Amino acid sequence: MDKPLFVAITRHYVVEKFRKKPKDAMEYRTKVIYDKHGYRHVAKIAIVKHEGPRHEHTVLTSLWHPKKEPKAKSVVKKAFQQNIPVYVIKGRKKIRLKSFTQAKEYLREW
């Protein structure tokens, strides 16, 4: 998988944003995926125009992990290790976090 542009912590999910919205996107889809432990992940997919015989392909724009899942904590920790920006989104506010200890508070909150 590609390196995410940023990681955001929302009320119920930890979001890994991989790409900005493609300009030539025809439409967007949301795919719900359940892992083997029963956690519900959401994948946001863009269908993009493409030159060639099939004329379209899909691009993963973001992947949403539930906050209760252990993987969510490791995604945030990995982001800090790789110097990827981590944000908390509360309503319309977007707050950038400086350390993993700050992020742990928001992972427990709500």
Side-chain angles (χ1 to χ4, degrees):
M1 256 189 170
D2 294 338
K3 186 175 169 182
L5 296 175
F6 65 87
V7 174
I9 301 171
T10 63
R11 186 170 183 167
H12 297 291
Y13 287 95
V14 172
V15 182
E16 287 182 284
K17 183 76 170 179
F18 291 104
R19 297 180 192 270
K20 294 181 181 175
K21 293 183 177 181
K23 293 178 184 174
D24 52 351
M26 296 189 314
E27 62 183 281
Y28 295 92
R29 299 272 171 95
T30 302
K31 177 75 176 163
V32 176
I33 304 163
Y34 290 94
D35 65 5
K36 64 183 179 181
H37 302 293
Y39 292 109
R40 179 181 188 253
H41 298 268
V42 179
K44 304 278 182 153
I45 301 168
I47 299 173
V48 181
K49 294 178 191 174
H50 181 63
E51 297 296 324
R54 297 198 62 188
H55 301 291
E56 59 186 43
H57 69 279
T58 58
V59 175
L60 179 68
T61 56
S62 64
L63 187 59
W64 297 49
H65 304 278
K67 281 173 63 172
K68 295 177 183 176
E69 177 190 32
K71 169 83 175 171
K73 186 177 177 182
S74 67
V75 165
V76 174
K77 192 172 194 174
K78 193 175 180 182
F80 278 112
Q81 290 171 349
Q82 295 178 352
N83 293 327
I84 298 170
V86 178
Y87 297 99
V88 171
I89 298 175
K90 280 190 166 185
R92 293 180 178 235
K93 289 183 181 178
K94 190 175 182 181
I95 306 165
R96 185 165 181 179
L97 300 177
K98 293 185 167 82
S99 68
F100 183 64
T101 53
Q102 279 183 326
K104 280 200 290 189
E105 292 175 19
Y106 287 106
L107 287 171
R108 275 184 267 151
E109 199 175 293
W110 285 307

